[in-house]
Amino acid sequence: MEFIFSVLRVLHIIGGFVSLFVFWVPIVTKKGGKLHYTFGWIYVYGMIVVAISAFYMGFYRIFLDHSSTKEIISFSWFLIFISILSSAAAYYGLRVLRNKNRKKKHTHLLDLSYPILLLISGIAISIYGFIHEIPLLSWFPIVGFFLGITQLSYWLQKPTRKMHWWFEHFAGMLACCISTITAFVVFGAPRLLNIESVSIILWFLPTIIITPLIIGLSIYYGRKFNKP
């Protein structure tokens, strides 16, 4: 088990850095172009590695490693939640493209199960954080709660605007970027800078910056694709 943990930790670091370095390319390049497509998939594959390894490492520290301290267990729950958030957001961003021609509500079991899991885990981790007075676990999972609600709302309603899948695709992928950068700020940056922790404001900075970007892009493309 310890060997598997060590291997997955290395893969997690590699996948995390790959995702961190390439996530901006699909954002700034021509949508639907070769660079957008190629680097988009590199980012997705990197996040698959990150999500799977993060979930295992969090599970291992909580349930299998009896030497884990309270602090390690708390951060392990955050690691598990980040794995759910990132994979759910990336999966959603891909599935809306696959179902872009739908004309009615969508009830595919897995497509509904992921946002439900995100919703439930967000509530559960937030409650855990408030009980143990951990600000990061108390407030950050609210992002997952709202993402879960938003995704369920999209799937269970008939599309009403043109290019609806376009908006949901970049919203899902940018939400995945939030988890990528947040995880780096919480776990990676303190280790690289050799400091114990960073300000809680920095923990929420990716959400504070990227959420208005999602809203702004939604308004911009909404006006572009849905002109009177």
Side-chain angles (χ1 to χ4, degrees), residues 89-104:
Y91 178 81
Y92 179 74
L94 296 175
R95 289 295 293 174
V96 295
L97 295 180
R98 182 65 61 88
N99 296 278
K100 65 181 181 180
N101 294 321
R102 71 183 181 96
K103 304 298 182 182
K104 56 183 180 180

Side-chain angles (χ1 to χ4, degrees), residues 36-76:
H36 179 90
Y37 181 85
T38 301
F39 281 92
W41 274 110
I42 292 174
Y43 176 76
V44 168
Y45 287 133
M47 289 309 301
I48 290 174
V49 173
V50 168
I52 293 175
S53 57
F55 189 89
Y56 178 84
M57 290 191 296
F59 183 89
Y60 176 85
R61 288 301 191 195
I62 295 170
F63 299 104
L64 302 177
D65 187 358
H66 301 295
S67 64
S68 295
T69 64
K70 181 180 178 180
E71 183 180 9
I72 291 176
I73 290 176
S74 298
F75 273 95
S76 296

